[in-house]
Amino acid sequence: MKVFKFGGASVKDAEGVKNVSLVLESEGFENCVLVVSAMGKTTNALEKAVQNYFDKTDYQTEIEKVKQDHLEISKGLFQEHHPVFSEISLFFDDIESFLRRNKSPNYNFVYDQVVSCGEMISSKILSEYLNDIQFKNHWLDARDYIKTDSNYREGNINWEETQRKISELDHDTCFVTQGFIGSEANNFTVTLGREGSDYSAAIFAYCLNAEAMTIWKDVPGVMTGDPRKFENVNLLSNISYEEAIEMAYYGASVIHPKTLQPLKQKNIPFYVKSFLEPKKPGTKVGSSEQNENQETYILKENQNLMRISTRDFAFIAEEHLSQIFALLAKHKITISLMQTSAISFVLCVEDKYDHIDDLNQELQINFNSEVVKNVSLFTVRNAKLEDLNKFYENKNILLEQISKKTIQVVTN
């Protein structure tokens, strides 16, 4: 089987949904699983509704806007009395009903039950449209197949159960399902982390022993830098799993960091291609003698720089580091870069859940600590070290680190 993943930009409107069928016509629609994200900016809108719910402000208006957007998109795809319209309304009725009945104060739990509806609705619309135009498929609820623990918003996969369930799928059938979501033992929805739809596709590919996996983006493939942020970038035609994993770890947004490990384990080729130009080759990630190691540029924004030292100027020792790492884990703050010296520990961190102030407050019980917010981490892979100076031009350097052919600088 093949696994295709279509992101929110590819299904943001009726024309986008129609274009998916053109991509499938170009690629072939036999024996495949389509994993689809929420349409356009739906996730952001539903996140706002959840925030309003907890702020005790008007969340119903936000939900109604999302509902009307999906109904409007569907008008461009279906005849007036198509059953998909009532199905869309039912999804939104479920959201409203859940929020009216909910007694849980757990923000992450509520978030997952509400925000996941974006994927449910987009996949239902795509599945119904493809069936109408004779691309026959079965709609799957991914929550019946991807099983997780109860770590809401960052679910950890129960691989044994997930493998058992997905392997039961008929390999001679085409399926449309959701990215980003799974479910825990009590069948409550658990999301897999922001941008987790790529990971969902990799899970299906791994469990199905897929022939290949393709992610369809609005870019030609993996570039040597984000063309919106860097000039004179070009396409990487072939890169290794290891290089792609490094790029994803350092913040290359075109690839989700968790996506590559399952594919590498089974040596499943992974393609990144443009849904606007499906005939073009894009980027192949996998084992190949043609793998490239070009100089690549990655900018990771909205980071925080933390400087931590002992109160008595004692050396930063193992017991200090264990305390710091425990607090980082507690507050779900991830490390992008770290550097230690005799009496200080400097971290560039990502704070997805706005916990940085709470972390800093706890650190200050036992350490001296300060935070510089809203910094950027600039990484150069396969850097030509003889050209080092060009990476420092017009930058206020807060932290730098060079290892082999990787240069990293934190700037503000």
Side-chain angles (χ1 to χ4, degrees):
M1 296 190 80
K2 293 180 181 178
V3 176
F4 295 149
K5 183 262 175 174
F6 289 90
S10 66
V11 290
K12 66 181 180 181
D13 52 26
E15 290 308 308
V17 173
K18 290 175 183 177
N19 185 64
V20 169
S21 69
L22 299 179
V23 172
L24 296 175
E25 197 172 326
S26 167
E27 291 292 304
F29 191 57
E30 298 79 26
N31 305 53
C32 68
V33 175
L34 269 62
V35 176
V36 63
S37 299
M39 291 177 155
K41 301 296 183 184
T42 299
T43 300
N44 292 344
L46 290 173
E47 285 178 336
K48 186 176 179 184
V50 172
Q51 190 59 56
N52 286 359
Y53 172 79
F54 277 92
D55 291 342
K56 298 190 175 0
T57 57
D58 180 14
Y59 66 86
Q60 291 97 333
T61 298
E62 296 301 325
I63 293 171
E64 184 62 26
K65 283 182 195 171
V66 179
K67 176 181 176 180
Q68 292 306 319
D69 285 346
H70 284 80
L71 290 173
E72 197 59 38
I73 289 169
S74 298
K75 287 176 185 175
L77 298 169
F78 303 100
Q79 294 185 349
E80 186 176 351
H81 297 295
H82 196 285
V84 75
F85 291 101
S86 59
E87 291 196 51
I88 292 169
S89 294
L90 280 173
F91 278 120
F92 287 98
D93 289 346
D94 285 345
I95 296 175
E96 296 250 20
S97 174
F98 167 76
L99 290 174
R100 280 196 306 271
R101 292 182 287 105
N102 174 61
K103 303 297 182 187
S104 173
N106 184 336
Y107 181 94
N108 292 339
F109 168 75
V110 174
Y111 176 103
D112 279 3
Q113 310 320 303
V114 173
V115 172
S116 57
C117 290
E119 278 71 18
M120 300 296 291
I121 299 161
S122 65
S123 61
K124 177 60 75 171
I125 290 171
L126 179 60
S127 174
E128 292 284 350
Y129 174 73
L130 292 175
N131 273 323
D132 278 7
I133 62 168
Q134 303 308 307
F135 282 95
K136 294 302 179 184
N137 70 89
H138 292 283
W139 181 82
L140 288 185
D141 187 335
R143 298 171 299 184
D144 293 335
Y145 294 89
I146 295 180
K147 305 305 290 185
T148 72
D149 60 9
S150 300
N151 189 31
Y152 298 106
R153 293 184 74 184
E154 289 281 352
N156 298 298
I157 305 300
N158 179 332
W159 282 100
E160 184 178 347
E161 192 174 358
T162 299
Q163 171 76 73
R164 181 176 60 78
K165 288 179 173 293
I166 291 177
S167 63
E168 293 171 356
L169 292 173
D170 181 358
H171 285 220
D172 295 323
T173 305
C174 295
F175 301 97
V176 175
T177 192
Q178 310 79 40
F180 182 53
I181 64 174
S183 68
E184 39 91 296
N186 293 313
N187 293 319
F188 286 110
T189 305
V190 179
T191 63
L192 307 181
R194 198 69 196 269
E195 308 300 333
S197 291
D198 292 1
Y199 187 34
S200 297
I203 293 166
F204 274 100
Y206 176 90
C207 294
L208 291 167
N209 295 310
E211 173 189 333
M213 171 178 147
T214 304
I215 291 180
W216 297 94
K217 311 280 283 188
D218 56 357
V219 292
V222 180
M223 314 291 285
T224 54
D226 186 335
R228 295 166 295 185
K229 298 172 183 176
F230 299 101
E231 297 177 354
N232 304 317
V233 296
N234 54 280
L235 179 71
L236 293 163
S237 299
N238 290 273
I239 55 176
S240 66
Y241 293 112
E242 291 80 6
E243 183 64 19
I245 288 167
E246 293 282 358
M247 290 175 68
Y249 174 77
Y250 290 127
S253 60
V254 75
I255 306 169
H256 188 271
K258 291 181 180 176
T259 301
L260 292 147
Q261 285 289 2
L263 302 176
K264 183 178 184 298
Q265 283 185 39
K266 290 194 175 178
N267 203 27
I268 298 170
F270 167 44
Y271 298 89
V272 181
K273 298 179 72 173
S274 169
F275 60 77
L276 302 172
E277 299 176 294
K279 290 290 187 186
K280 292 201 170 178
T283 300
K284 179 183 178 183
V285 180
S287 303
S288 169
E289 292 180 1
Q290 284 83 44
N291 283 343
E292 301 164 271
N293 288 300
Q294 292 191 47
E295 192 170 79
T296 55
Y297 312 97
I298 302 161
L299 186 65
K300 201 171 186 180
E301 298 176 303
N302 303 313
Q303 302 289 292
N304 301 275
L305 188 70
M306 302 196 75
R307 294 189 179 93
I308 306 165
S309 61
T310 55
R311 289 196 178 279
D312 58 0
F313 294 100
F315 289 162
I316 292 281
E318 288 80 3
E319 63 266 24
H320 300 127
L321 293 175
S322 66
Q323 287 180 53
I324 294 166
F325 285 126
L327 288 173
L328 287 163
K330 174 184 174 183
H331 293 286
K332 296 187 175 182
I333 289 174
T334 54
I335 300 171
S336 301
L337 179 67
M338 60 183 175
Q339 195 173 90
T340 185
S341 67
I343 61 171
S344 69
F345 189 42
V346 186
L347 298 165
C348 179
V349 298
E350 187 167 4
D351 177 27
K352 289 186 281 189
Y353 304 116
D354 298 321
H355 292 168
I356 195 77
D357 292 329
D358 295 334
L359 169 65
N360 195 40
Q361 193 172 357
E362 282 201 61
L363 281 168
Q364 288 177 353
I365 296 170
N366 296 309
F367 300 92
N368 293 320
S369 67
E370 60 174 317
V371 178
V372 181
K373 294 184 178 181
N374 198 27
V375 301
S376 296
L377 174 61
F378 175 50
T379 301
V380 185
R381 289 279 299 160
N382 303 306
K384 298 180 181 69
L385 298 182
E386 63 271 18
D387 299 332
L388 197 60
N389 288 339
K390 72 180 181 181
F391 302 120
Y392 295 87
E393 292 173 1
N394 305 314
K395 290 185 175 71
N396 178 28
I397 307 297
L398 303 175
L399 181 66
E400 62 180 328
Q401 192 161 283
I402 301 173
S403 59
K404 291 186 178 178
K405 289 192 173 182
T406 300
I407 301 168
Q408 292 188 280
V409 291
V410 178
T411 67
N412 65 357

XYZ file of all heavy atoms in Angstrom, residues 292-322:
262
model
N 22.255 13.881 -0.806
C 22.996 15.136 -0.857
C 23.290 15.641 0.554
O 22.540 15.384 1.488
C 22.170 16.191 -1.603
C 21.828 15.795 -3.021
C 20.718 16.655 -3.595
O 19.539 16.289 -3.432
O 21.027 17.692 -4.201
N 24.380 16.384 0.673
C 24.728 17.048 1.929
C 25.024 18.519 1.647
O 26.113 19.015 1.902
C 25.939 16.368 2.581
C 25.585 15.015 3.166
O 24.741 14.913 4.046
N 26.207 13.964 2.656
N 24.037 19.202 1.115
C 24.204 20.617 0.812
C 24.096 21.457 2.081
O 23.489 21.043 3.067
C 23.132 21.080 -0.181
C 23.271 20.506 -1.572
C 22.340 21.217 -2.541
O 22.250 22.448 -2.577
N 21.618 20.435 -3.332
N 24.647 22.659 2.015
C 24.512 23.600 3.119
C 23.042 23.998 3.236
O 22.426 24.431 2.259
C 25.374 24.835 2.848
C 25.540 25.744 4.032
C 26.600 26.810 3.776
O 26.287 27.797 3.087
O 27.736 26.630 4.258
N 22.461 23.807 4.423
C 21.043 24.116 4.628
C 20.878 25.057 5.809
O 21.683 25.042 6.757
C 20.216 22.835 4.873
O 20.780 22.106 5.968
C 20.206 21.945 3.645
N 19.818 25.865 5.754
C 19.592 26.923 6.741
C 18.231 26.738 7.400
O 17.219 26.555 6.714
C 19.644 28.302 6.065
C 20.846 28.487 5.172
C 20.748 28.273 3.796
C 22.081 28.839 5.696
C 21.849 28.417 2.965
C 23.190 28.994 4.879
C 23.067 28.781 3.522
O 24.165 28.916 2.706
N 18.217 26.778 8.702
C 16.975 26.551 9.457
C 16.837 27.650 10.507
O 17.763 27.885 11.291
C 16.984 25.175 10.145
C 17.178 24.053 9.114
C 15.684 24.949 10.924
C 17.641 22.746 9.696
N 15.691 28.301 10.523
C 15.417 29.346 11.505
C 14.247 28.909 12.375
O 13.140 28.666 11.881
C 15.075 30.671 10.814
C 14.916 31.888 11.730
C 16.242 32.228 12.421
C 14.417 33.103 10.948
N 14.510 28.781 13.664
C 13.483 28.372 14.624
C 13.173 29.583 15.498
O 14.000 30.005 16.321
C 14.010 27.206 15.465
C 12.950 26.357 16.133
C 13.594 25.120 16.753
C 12.554 24.170 17.318
N 13.188 22.983 17.922
N 11.989 30.127 15.316
C 11.622 31.370 16.004
C 10.801 31.080 17.262
O 10.489 29.938 17.569
C 10.857 32.278 15.032
C 11.705 32.685 13.830
C 10.960 33.492 12.793
O 9.929 32.989 12.295
O 11.400 34.608 12.476
N 10.478 32.165 18.000
C 9.670 32.063 19.228
C 10.300 31.122 20.252
O 9.630 30.297 20.877
C 8.243 31.606 18.898
C 7.561 32.526 17.914
O 7.608 33.745 18.077
N 6.956 31.970 16.882
N 11.612 31.251 20.422
C 12.344 30.471 21.412
C 12.608 31.327 22.658
O 12.364 32.536 22.666
C 13.677 30.000 20.820
C 13.529 29.166 19.554
C 12.971 27.789 19.810
O 13.615 26.954 20.413
N 11.747 27.551 19.355
N 13.112 30.686 23.701
C 13.469 31.385 24.947
C 14.868 30.965 25.360
O 15.210 29.780 25.288
C 12.493 31.029 26.077
C 11.064 31.394 25.743
O 10.638 32.516 25.942
N 10.313 30.436 25.205
N 15.664 31.938 25.789
C 17.003 31.636 26.274
C 16.999 31.700 27.801
O 16.572 32.691 28.389
C 18.006 32.652 25.724
C 19.479 32.331 26.003
C 19.921 31.124 25.187
C 20.361 33.532 25.703
N 17.456 30.622 28.440
C 17.510 30.550 29.900
C 18.964 30.440 30.352
O 19.716 29.603 29.834
C 16.733 29.348 30.430
C 15.283 29.309 30.036
S 14.349 28.132 31.073
C 14.231 29.061 32.605
N 19.335 31.285 31.312
C 20.665 31.199 31.925
C 20.469 30.801 33.382
O 19.783 31.491 34.133
C 21.395 32.536 31.828
C 21.749 32.951 30.404
C 22.652 34.180 30.411
N 23.026 34.576 29.054
C 22.367 35.471 28.335
N 21.288 36.067 28.845
N 22.775 35.779 27.118
N 21.072 29.685 33.762
C 20.883 29.124 35.103
C 22.254 28.942 35.746
O 23.173 28.400 35.115
C 20.149 27.767 35.032
C 18.829 27.909 34.259
C 19.896 27.210 36.431
C 18.224 26.585 33.830
N 22.381 29.372 37.007
C 23.635 29.159 37.736
C 23.314 28.831 39.186
O 22.211 29.100 39.680
C 24.537 30.388 37.651
O 23.897 31.524 38.222
N 24.286 28.239 39.872
C 24.092 27.920 41.286
C 24.183 29.196 42.116
O 24.876 30.142 41.747
C 25.158 26.916 41.761
O 26.452 27.448 41.475
C 24.997 25.584 41.059
N 23.492 29.213 43.228
C 23.475 30.418 44.076
C 24.822 30.668 44.746
O 25.194 31.814 44.996
C 22.388 30.282 45.148
C 20.974 30.377 44.587
C 19.977 30.622 45.705
N 18.628 30.763 45.197
C 18.137 31.879 44.667
N 18.900 32.937 44.555
N 16.888 31.920 44.235
N 25.575 29.592 45.015
C 26.848 29.744 45.733
C 28.046 29.658 44.790
O 29.185 29.498 45.233
C 26.979 28.676 46.828
C 26.891 27.260 46.260
O 26.735 27.118 45.027
O 26.981 26.309 47.050
N 27.778 29.772 43.474
C 28.831 29.710 42.461
C 29.595 28.382 42.476
O 30.725 28.298 42.020
C 29.812 30.888 42.595
C 29.163 32.215 42.307
C 28.761 33.042 43.333
C 28.928 32.609 41.002
C 28.142 34.249 43.070
C 28.304 33.823 40.723
C 27.907 34.643 41.762
N 28.964 27.348 43.007
C 29.532 26.005 42.913
C 29.407 25.515 41.476
O 28.629 26.035 40.677
C 28.797 25.067 43.860
N 30.201 24.491 41.143
C 30.128 23.924 39.806
C 28.715 23.383 39.542
O 28.046 22.883 40.444
C 31.127 22.774 39.638
C 32.561 23.214 39.594
C 33.574 22.300 39.816
C 32.910 24.530 39.328
C 34.899 22.689 39.774
C 34.225 24.932 39.290
C 35.237 24.011 39.518
N 28.274 23.488 38.292
C 27.044 22.813 37.864
C 27.334 21.318 37.808
O 28.132 20.850 36.977
C 26.590 23.314 36.476
C 26.126 24.768 36.550
C 25.494 22.413 35.915
C 24.738 24.969 37.092
N 26.756 20.584 38.720
C 27.041 19.149 38.841
C 25.830 18.324 38.411
O 24.759 18.857 38.106
C 27.419 18.824 40.290
N 26.020 16.989 38.435
C 24.973 16.085 37.945
C 23.658 16.259 38.694
O 22.580 16.217 38.094
C 25.443 14.629 38.059
C 26.505 14.219 37.066
C 27.910 14.683 37.480
O 28.050 15.267 38.578
O 28.843 14.472 36.693
N 23.729 16.471 40.026
C 22.476 16.615 40.785
C 21.734 17.893 40.396
O 20.503 17.941 40.405
C 22.736 16.580 42.296
C 23.603 17.699 42.844
C 25.081 17.292 42.933
O 25.494 16.378 42.174
O 25.794 17.886 43.755
N 22.504 18.954 40.027
C 21.849 20.185 39.568
C 21.141 19.945 38.234
O 19.999 20.359 38.025
C 22.883 21.310 39.399
C 23.608 21.663 40.659
N 24.979 21.702 40.745
C 23.145 21.966 41.906
C 25.337 22.036 41.976
N 24.237 22.196 42.701
N 21.859 19.265 37.318
C 21.280 19.010 35.993
C 20.032 18.145 36.095
O 19.041 18.379 35.385
C 22.312 18.334 35.094
C 23.529 19.187 34.701
C 24.531 18.350 33.911
C 23.111 20.406 33.900
N 20.049 17.161 36.997
C 18.873 16.294 37.131
C 17.674 17.088 37.631
O 16.540 16.863 37.181
C 19.173 15.110 38.049
O 19.417 15.533 39.369
